[in-house]
Amino acid sequence: AARFKANENLHKGVEWTKVKASLEAKPEALWSINEMEKAGHQPDVYNADDNGFDIGTCSKESPESGRNCVFDESAEEWMKTNRPNKRFNGNAVAMAKAMGIDLMDPNLYKNVLQKKGRFDEQTWSWLLTQLAIRSTGIALLGLRYGDRVDVDPGRAYNRNDLWSWRGSLRVEWAA
């Protein structure tokens, strides 16, 4: 509740009582939010519509707990086979799945979250990537350069100390 009130710019017009009731109706959502909190994602409501709302990674920079990770299991296997001496911190897709969430949709990242604040000015974040793109060996990364927000392709097996990921959880409004 305190973060929700402190970051009203992320969810103007959204009533806390409705959010709270919807979360209380979905204990698995509360568990996921707690996991995000423990990992430094600073989860908050950043998008809402008539059907529900999205709670996502709202930390200014991508969380340290997930930095230096590759995109998914396939990229992780590639690293273990082709660069066995390179150290990395697992894969973004598995970390999100372990929290019961998804990677953040690139459209929500660029056209919703980034319009409400300045995120990833010093870090990059792995984002949800469609299979047609991922099948080429590429995955999507989001970042901000000054006033410009980009969603760019990157090799899914690349990892960097400034690369992490942003997650998102969709919650339907309680009846």
Side-chain angles (χ1 to χ4, degrees):
R3 181 173 294 134
F4 185 88
K5 290 177 184 174
N7 295 309
E8 289 183 359
N9 60 304
L10 292 175
H11 39 255
K12 286 183 178 139
V14 177
E15 296 176 36
W16 171 246
T17 54
K18 284 182 67 177
V19 169
K20 183 179 179 197
S22 299
L23 290 173
E24 288 172 345
K26 299 198 174 26
E28 65 278 6
L30 288 172
W31 180 86
S32 293
I33 292 165
N34 186 57
E35 293 300 299
M36 291 175 75
E37 187 68 44
K38 289 190 312 191
H41 286 257
Q42 298 178 18
D44 207 336
V45 175
Y46 71 97
N47 185 49
D49 57 34
D50 291 342
N51 298 317
F53 56 95
D54 298 291
I55 294 178
T57 304
C58 291
S59 55
K60 289 296 182 188
E61 300 299 336
S62 62
E64 288 185 34
S65 65
R67 291 191 189 164
N68 196 32
C69 66
V70 296
F71 181 73
D72 60 8
E73 185 177 342
S74 175
E76 186 171 345
E77 289 303 317
W78 187 95
M79 283 291 288
K80 288 177 181 177
T81 301
N82 295 290
R83 297 197 178 140
N85 297 325
K86 293 284 184 180
R87 299 181 80 193
F88 63 99
N89 185 26
N91 76 74
V93 171
M95 285 186 245
K97 185 177 181 180
M99 293 180 191
I101 64 175
D102 295 312
L103 294 183
M104 189 175 286
D105 180 275
N107 183 53
L108 290 175
Y109 176 84
K110 186 172 183 173
N111 298 313
V112 178
L113 180 68
Q114 288 282 10
K115 292 193 185 283
K116 296 179 178 184
R118 299 180 72 84
F119 301 91
D120 288 330
E121 290 186 292
Q122 298 173 17
T123 55
W124 296 45
S125 292
W126 288 116
L127 301 171
L128 188 65
T129 303
Q130 294 175 348
L131 184 57
I133 295 170
R134 180 61 191 99
S135 66
T136 66
I138 299 295
L140 299 177
L141 287 157
L143 63 145
R144 176 184 279 279
Y145 288 118
D147 288 334
R148 193 174 100 205
V149 176
D150 288 336
V151 172
D152 290 336
R155 294 269 174 221
Y157 59 79
N158 281 347
R159 85 288 172 278
N160 184 294
D161 289 340
L162 295 177
W163 292 12
S164 188
W165 56 278
R166 286 192 181 267
S168 192
L169 174 68
R170 180 70 178 175
V171 178
E172 302 299 319
W173 293 117

